[in-house]
Amino acid sequence: MKIVILGAGQVGTSVAESLVSEANEITVVDTDVARLARLQDRLDLRTVVGNAALPSVLELAGMADADMLIAVTQSDQTNLCACRTAATLYRTPTKIARLRSPDYARYPELLEPKNFAVDFSICPEQIITDYLVQLLAFPEALQVLEFADGLVSLVAVRAIPGGTLVGHPVADLRRHIPTVDARIAAIYRRDQPIIPDGETLIEAGDEVFFLAATRDIGQVVSELRRRDRPTRRILIAGGGNIGERLAVATQDRYKVKVIEAAEARARTLGATLKHTLVLVGEGTDENLLAAESIEDMDCFLALTNDDENNILSALLAKGLGARRVLALINRRAYVDLVQADRIDIAISPAQISIGSLLARVRKGDVAAVHSLRRGAAEALELVVHGDGRTSQVAGRRIEQLDLPPGVTVGAVVRGVAPMAGGADRRRVLIAHHDLVIEAEDHVILFVISKDLVPKVERYFQVGLGFF
């Protein structure tokens, strides 16, 4: 595909890195010459310097014959203007816009073809907030990712000594919890992937990815490690966009405190967050953390815009007794460096939010994509179409699928999604070798290497006879 990306920030750069590796023709537009030069040094792509809202700049970027526009600058107005221009002047087939303000979600008619002509909008800040909410709900998990509108979850857990399954084969999972169906999709041992079979032993320290119906997550987690006490008290360092959204989402469920360095911003937060205590100060202030009883906090979240501050404040909070610490870190090298240290979870914002964009770029009918392990692996939700004549998937048992090594079918969701307000009668079927896949099933796969994704996409596409 020919894709024009507007904005070379963290989101734009991560999208470019992912799409270039899949043999797409990419052009990136930004006003920062140095940033574009660094990007071009690392990746095989074109760059254009200029204001992304101007038709002349879009013309230089090759919008006239582009298949897709991904507008992810820091400015909502620039992104909207570019989508409208691309639709009016070039009839660009697919236009994606990053919209940070919640106002546009309240007025979706503004995005319709007759107005700003946005085919799909994303808000990375809200995606990250939703991700953090899930991690707070399951304090034992390293990752919690949802599929099929939340019916199925993929969860990553660190197996620890004392876990019921530790030292036992994967097949024992069914014996221990016979009323719950789950599938261990992958194990990472010393950062190396293992596709498990029933005889694979689970060792302490393994990072175990399993799929289960969301309602059953807690029981499966308890087999791999002792359940932690529920989250009750959280302290957020950073009252920016993400910090505020997280406080709004959690203040009725937990006791929430926010530390914000800018006094004016802290006053604004104090006026809008009715059930949250807002403090003026720095997350790296040892005296402030001690005064706020950091040792009693179930979770400390460092969510400022400064990677170094987030790392230091998280390490300090852990040293002072916080039970669990999470740090938002943009630089990938830092994520790899501190994840194995005393920070429980290092969160890469771009890698969390990129899945929504990848789902629009993938070939075939892709309902969801989640980027895993800093972009090295992926989990996909693919919709099956066709029949035994036009599809390599429909009508076949899972054991008959000719998927490449490193690809695991974890679960199948069967049934039609309900209309608004209707009862959800879809069924979650954990993948076993004799399960027959039917047309319109949603198949959830774990792919240990991004290099395998194109093969999976081609395999799930229907033949010409389908049309």
Side-chain angles (χ1 to χ4, degrees):
M1 296 177 69
K2 288 183 127 182
I3 301 172
V4 176
I5 300 172
L6 308 182
Q10 290 294 335
V11 176
T13 297
S14 294
V15 173
E17 287 174 344
S18 181
L19 299 183
V20 162
S21 67
E22 297 171 17
N24 295 291
E25 188 176 324
I26 306 295
T27 301
V28 180
V29 179
D30 201 279
T31 55
D32 190 324
V33 178
R35 182 181 288 172
L36 289 177
R38 289 193 297 271
L39 193 59
Q40 199 163 30
D41 285 344
R42 294 191 297 112
L43 303 174
D44 181 19
L45 47 70
R46 284 184 66 229
T47 60
V48 173
V49 180
N51 183 340
L54 297 178
S56 58
V57 174
L58 295 178
E59 182 78 32
L60 283 173
M63 189 59 67
D65 58 351
D67 300 299
M68 179 179 289
L69 170 67
I70 301 177
V72 288
T73 74
Q74 295 284 339
S75 167
D76 289 356
Q77 291 74 23
T78 296
N79 297 336
L80 290 170
C81 183
C83 287
R84 179 68 266 174
T85 302
T88 302
L89 298 183
Y90 308 112
R91 301 290 189 269
T92 305
T94 304
K95 300 163 293 298
I96 298 172
R98 172 188 187 175
L99 298 176
R100 306 178 76 187
S101 172
D103 281 5
Y104 296 108
R106 292 196 287 268
Y107 302 101
E109 62 271 19
L110 291 174
L111 309 184
E112 293 176 356
K114 64 181 179 181
N115 295 315
F116 285 116
V118 175
D119 298 304
F120 179 67
S121 65
I122 68 161
C123 177
E125 292 82 1
Q126 188 58 48
I127 293 170
I128 294 162
T129 301
D130 294 341
Y131 182 84
L132 293 172
V133 168
Q134 287 290 90
L135 288 176
L136 290 171
F138 297 98
E140 307 87 0
L142 299 172
Q143 281 188 296
V144 181
L145 303 167
E146 292 186 339
F147 296 91
D149 306 316
L151 283 179
V152 182
S153 290
L154 174 68
V155 181
V157 177
R158 182 81 64 191
I160 62 173
T164 309
L165 267 185
V166 175
H168 293 270
V170 166
D172 280 6
L173 180 62
R174 171 59 71 89
R175 183 170 60 82
H176 286 204
I177 43 176
T179 60
V180 172
D181 209 359
R183 176 70 184 269
I184 294 179
I187 295 172
Y188 281 81
R189 183 170 297 157
R190 292 178 284 278
D191 279 335
Q192 295 303 309
I194 299 171
I195 297 298
D197 57 29
E199 301 304 313
T200 303
L201 294 180
I202 297 175
E203 297 181 5
D206 284 353
E207 190 175 330
V208 181
F209 285 84
F210 72 85
L211 273 156
T214 300
R215 65 178 181 273
D216 297 328
I217 289 174
Q219 292 186 67
V220 182
V221 168
S222 65
E223 293 296 308
L224 297 165
R225 56 182 296 148
R226 292 181 298 275
R227 296 296 306 275
D228 288 345
R229 68 174 185 263
T231 301
R232 294 189 178 90
R233 299 178 181 85
I234 66 174
L235 178 58
I236 301 169
N241 205 327
I242 295 173
E244 180 183 10
R245 285 174 185 264
L246 183 62
V248 169
T250 58
Q251 62 182 348
D252 293 330
R253 197 180 316 172
Y254 311 122
K255 292 182 178 179
V256 181
K257 296 179 181 180
V258 175
I259 297 174
E260 169 55 41
E263 185 174 348
R265 174 64 177 169
R267 290 184 183 278
T268 300
L269 292 173
T272 55
L273 298 173
K274 301 302 182 185
H275 306 293
T276 297
L277 177 63
V278 181
L279 307 161
V280 180
E282 297 279 354
T284 52
D285 185 337
E286 181 178 358
N287 294 327
L288 177 58
L289 294 181
E292 295 305 321
S293 303
I294 188 65
E295 70 276 6
D296 295 331
M297 291 297 160
D298 297 310
C299 192
F300 175 88
L301 302 103
L303 306 179
T304 75
N305 291 323
D306 187 300
D307 285 358
E308 288 81 1
N309 262 350
N310 289 343
I311 293 169
L312 289 173
S313 61
L315 290 172
L316 180 60
K318 192 71 171 181
L320 292 173
R323 181 161 65 96
R324 190 176 187 224
V325 298
L326 291 80
L328 205 64
I329 303 174
N330 286 292
R331 293 184 64 177
R332 186 175 301 174
Y334 286 1
V335 174
D336 294 335
L337 183 67
V338 303
Q339 180 80 50
D341 199 16
R342 298 181 68 191
I343 293 177
D344 296 299
I345 302 179
I347 297 167
S348 172
Q351 288 302 322
I352 293 170
S353 56
I354 195 176
S356 297
L357 289 169
L358 292 178
R360 305 294 153 177
V361 180
R362 296 279 185 253
K363 297 178 178 66
D365 193 349
V366 182
V369 176
H370 289 295
S371 184
L372 309 169
R373 295 191 61 80
R374 278 82 78 190
E378 277 190 14
L380 302 95
E381 178 184 344
L382 293 161
V383 184
V384 177
H385 297 298
D387 53 28
R389 183 174 54 85
T390 59
S391 169
Q392 300 179 79
V393 179
R396 288 169 172 79
R397 297 191 301 275
I398 287 178
E399 64 186 359
Q400 294 176 311
L401 299 181
D402 187 23
L403 292 168
V407 178
T408 304
V409 179
V412 172
V413 177
R414 183 166 294 165
V416 179
M419 302 294 288
D424 196 337
R425 292 186 170 84
R426 288 176 293 176
R427 291 184 293 151
V428 177
L429 307 172
I430 298 303
H432 297 292
H433 67 96
D434 57 350
L435 176 64
V436 177
I437 296 176
E438 299 177 359
E440 306 311 315
D441 280 352
H442 286 231
V443 179
I444 300 164
L445 304 102
F446 189 101
V447 183
I448 65 170
S449 171
K450 261 177 57 68
D451 296 339
L452 298 171
V453 170
K455 296 179 182 178
V456 174
E457 291 172 348
R458 286 195 296 271
Y459 190 72
F460 272 76
Q461 285 180 308
V462 293
L464 291 174
F466 176 72
F467 302 99

